[in-house]
């Protein structure tokens, strides 16, 4: 039996919004058609009418589900270096507590209309949650190791962890320029030249990251003293962090650069000139939580087809909700239309994860899930907009 769902607007994402349109789907949630009002006038069945905007299910392209137990435990506005210290100091918790928090927030993400997640992992615990979840997960196994002498051991442990997540999609990725040595980047590049290995990396989340690479100054030298890490091997590079490590990234893989809070136009230009397939992910709530600053998103708009949206973790966010991220974008960048940002939160994320044959847009043959965005201002988000999962 077919279902017919109508709303003030249907946002297929892959095509223009349809005012008073109707989505036709079968019992398994597969999209059969999207009709305009004229086409829908002859529908034989009952049309379910909703007030608001029907969108595809959301794609959260950057999350740390395993940090869910840190919700509310790290103070806001302390800056990235202090935040990282807090995560390191408080990360350890009982397995039962960690699993319970992950299970709860996997369910909440689903209820918040999220159908797919790019999730960072440093251990195997999230596998049991993912294998019982209704959400599609791609797991990014994170490399952390600034000491070049430990590069091979760190990389081999990551490969072992990746194998533990089999048969679920997973790849080995660098944490950030300031936490991965050149030798470790080299091992990853060699591996990525020979294997399909989707890449995601935190990028320029703080001014301190650029300070480290440009002049070996700022907060990170003291941070590594706190970590008892000798930095004698590292010298100033006189360039921003991303420009320094760009040659170390494989040209054969798609790369998602996450946060980009302190990314400048010259960095964006360098990425474009490299010819590498670079995607940009924004996590606005986390940026405000940690640094109290948002990226200069208007500088990225020439490459809007490469932008995605993430939530980061509950260590740096109040909830794992993509609509909440889009509302923050609308508040701070009111010129951005919902028809643009919804693409970042759906089809672009699905394309990056390689699942746009199923997710990301309301198109015939897909099963993307359907969300209803309620309490809107015509075809635009409002501060009081809410989300309801339809399918």
């Amino acid at each position: 039996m077919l279902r017919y769902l109508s709303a003030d607007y249907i946002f297929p994402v892959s095509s223009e919004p349809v005012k008073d349109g109707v989505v036709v789907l079968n019992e398994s949630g597969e999209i059969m058609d999207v009709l305009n009002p004229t086409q829908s006038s002859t529908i034989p069945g009952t049309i379910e009418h909703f007030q608001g905007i029907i969108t595809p299910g959301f794609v959260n392209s950057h999350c740390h589900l395993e940090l869910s137990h840190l919700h509310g435990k790290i103070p806001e506005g302390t800056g990235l270096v202090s935040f990282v210290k807090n995560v390191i100091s408080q990360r350890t918790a009982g397995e039962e507590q960690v699993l319970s928090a992950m299970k709860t927030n996997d369910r909440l993400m689903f209820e918040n209309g999220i159908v797919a997640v790019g999730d960072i992992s440093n251990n195997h615990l999230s596998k049991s949650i993912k294998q019982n979840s209704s959400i599609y997960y791609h797991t990014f196994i994170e490399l952390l190791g600034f000491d070049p002498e430990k590069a091979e051991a760190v990389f081999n442990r990551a490969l072992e962890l990746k194998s533990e997540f089999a048969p679920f999609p997973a790849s080995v990725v660098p944490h950030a320029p300031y936490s991965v040595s050149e030798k470790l980047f080299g091992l990853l590049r060699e591996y990525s030249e020979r294997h399909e290995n989707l890449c995601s990396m935190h990028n320029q989340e703080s001014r301190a990251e650029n300070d480290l690479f440009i002049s070996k100054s700022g907060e990170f030298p003291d941070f590594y003293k706190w970590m008892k890490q000798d930095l004698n091997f590292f010298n100033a590079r006189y360039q921003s962090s991303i420009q320094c490590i760009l040659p170390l990234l494989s040209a054969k893989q798609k790369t998602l650069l996450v946060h980009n809070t302190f990314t400048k136009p010259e960095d964006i230009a360098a990425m474009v000139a490299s010819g590498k397939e670079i995607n940009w992910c924004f996590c606005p709530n986390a940026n405000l939580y940690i640094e109290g600053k948002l990226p200069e998103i208007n500088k990225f708009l020439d490459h809007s087809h490469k932008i995605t949206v993430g939530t980061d973790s509950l260590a740096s966010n109040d909830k794992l909700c993509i609509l909440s991220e889009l509302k923050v974008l609308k508040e701070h960048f009111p010129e951005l239309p919902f028809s643009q940002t919804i693409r970042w939160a759906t089809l672009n994320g699905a394309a990056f994860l390689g699942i746009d044959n199923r997710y990301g847009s309301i198109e015939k043959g897909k099963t993307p899930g359907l969300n209803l965005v309620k309490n809107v201002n015509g075809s635009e988000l409002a501060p009081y907009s809410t989300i309801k999962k339809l399918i």
Side-chain angles (χ1 to χ4, degrees):
M1 180 180 293
L2 298 179
R3 288 184 68 186
Y4 305 92
L5 277 61
S6 178
D8 300 326
Y9 285 91
I10 309 297
F11 275 31
V13 178
S14 56
S15 57
E16 293 298 311
V18 183
K19 183 172 173 55
D20 298 318
V22 176
V23 181
V24 185
L25 64 160
N26 64 19
E27 291 177 337
S28 64
E30 179 182 346
I31 305 299
M32 308 304 292
D33 212 343
V34 179
L35 308 176
N36 62 40
T38 301
Q39 294 170 315
S40 63
S41 61
T42 57
I43 286 176
T46 301
I47 299 177
E48 302 172 54
H49 292 278
F50 299 94
Q51 291 184 320
I53 302 171
I54 290 179
T55 75
F58 296 142
V59 178
N60 181 358
S61 59
H62 181 75
C63 184
H64 297 253
L65 185 63
E66 68 186 21
L67 298 182
S68 295
H69 65 287
L70 294 180
H71 187 205
K73 293 185 178 179
I74 298 178
E76 297 184 40
T78 61
L80 180 68
V81 174
S82 177
F83 174 81
V84 172
K85 286 182 176 179
N86 271 296
V87 171
I88 292 171
S89 300
Q90 301 186 53
R91 186 175 190 128
T92 55
E95 184 173 314
E96 185 176 337
Q97 178 188 355
V98 173
L99 286 170
S100 176
M102 284 196 288
K103 183 177 181 180
T104 295
N105 286 285
D106 167 77
R107 175 179 54 80
L108 290 175
M109 277 200 287
F110 183 73
E111 292 174 0
N112 286 331
I114 293 171
V115 296
V117 176
D119 188 57
I120 304 295
S121 289
N122 295 105
N123 58 58
H124 70 280
L125 289 181
S126 64
K127 181 179 180 179
S128 64
I129 304 299
K130 293 167 181 175
Q131 65 189 4
N132 293 299
S133 176
S134 298
I135 293 174
Y136 172 94
Y137 282 95
H138 183 106
T139 300
F140 295 109
I141 309 299
E142 203 166 57
L143 293 169
L144 281 158
F146 207 41
D147 184 346
E149 294 185 2
K150 297 179 180 178
E152 290 185 4
V154 169
F155 192 74
N156 289 334
R157 280 198 299 271
L159 290 180
E160 290 173 5
L161 182 55
K162 179 179 182 289
S163 68
E164 290 184 37
F165 274 92
F168 301 103
S171 51
V172 178
V173 303
H175 168 256
Y178 63 81
S179 58
V180 176
S181 67
E182 280 195 22
K183 184 175 181 180
L184 190 50
F185 266 118
L187 293 172
L188 178 60
R189 183 178 59 191
E190 291 174 11
Y191 177 82
S192 298
E193 295 292 320
R194 303 191 311 270
H195 303 85
E196 185 175 344
N197 191 59
L198 195 63
C199 184
S200 174
M201 181 179 70
H202 299 82
N203 176 57
Q204 294 172 304
E205 196 175 353
S206 72
R207 182 175 286 106
E209 179 179 318
N210 282 330
D211 290 341
L212 176 66
F213 280 81
I214 293 170
S215 58
K216 197 177 178 180
S217 62
E219 297 177 79
F220 272 112
D222 285 338
F223 168 78
Y224 279 109
K225 285 182 182 177
W226 180 79
M227 290 284 291
K228 297 180 172 56
Q229 166 74 64
D230 187 344
L231 279 190
N232 286 336
F233 69 89
F234 183 84
N235 298 310
R237 310 295 170 83
Y238 310 108
Q239 284 184 307
S240 69
S241 59
I242 190 60
Q243 293 192 51
C244 288
I245 63 92
L246 178 59
L248 305 177
L249 299 175
S250 170
K252 290 191 175 182
Q253 307 298 339
K254 290 186 289 187
T255 296
L256 186 70
L257 298 179
V258 183
H259 295 301
N260 315 299
T261 319
F262 291 84
T263 301
K264 298 301 180 185
E266 55 268 29
D267 298 317
I268 300 171
M271 297 299 103
V272 174
S274 74
K276 295 178 179 178
E277 191 169 349
I278 302 295
N279 298 255
W280 308 93
C281 176
F282 299 126
C283 306
N285 275 313
N287 299 151
L288 293 174
Y289 193 103
I290 296 172
E291 289 279 347
K293 177 179 169 59
L294 292 173
E296 297 179 78
I297 290 177
N298 58 320
K299 306 296 186 186
F300 296 81
L301 295 185
D302 286 343
H303 315 287
S304 59
H305 63 290
K306 297 290 187 180
I307 294 174
T308 71
V309 178
T311 62
D312 209 47
S313 75
L314 283 175
S316 60
N317 208 335
D318 290 329
K319 53 187 171 182
L320 305 181
C321 175
I322 291 296
L323 181 64
S324 176
E325 305 298 328
L326 297 183
K327 287 163 69 175
V328 171
L329 289 176
K330 187 64 177 177
E331 177 187 355
H332 291 269
F333 303 94
E335 70 278 10
L336 292 177
F338 185 46
S339 58
Q340 183 174 26
T341 60
I342 189 62
R343 186 182 184 95
W344 303 353
T346 55
L347 188 54
N348 285 7
F352 171 70
L353 293 175
I355 54 172
D356 50 319
N357 62 326
R358 176 180 175 187
Y359 298 101
S361 60
I362 305 174
E363 294 183 79
K364 188 174 181 179
K366 290 190 176 185
T367 52
L370 295 178
N371 294 333
L372 176 68
V373 182
K374 303 190 294 181
N375 305 312
V376 292
N377 181 14
S379 61
E380 293 294 334
L381 287 181
Y384 41 82
S385 294
T386 56
I387 185 76
K388 177 182 179 181
K389 186 175 182 65
L390 296 177
I391 303 295

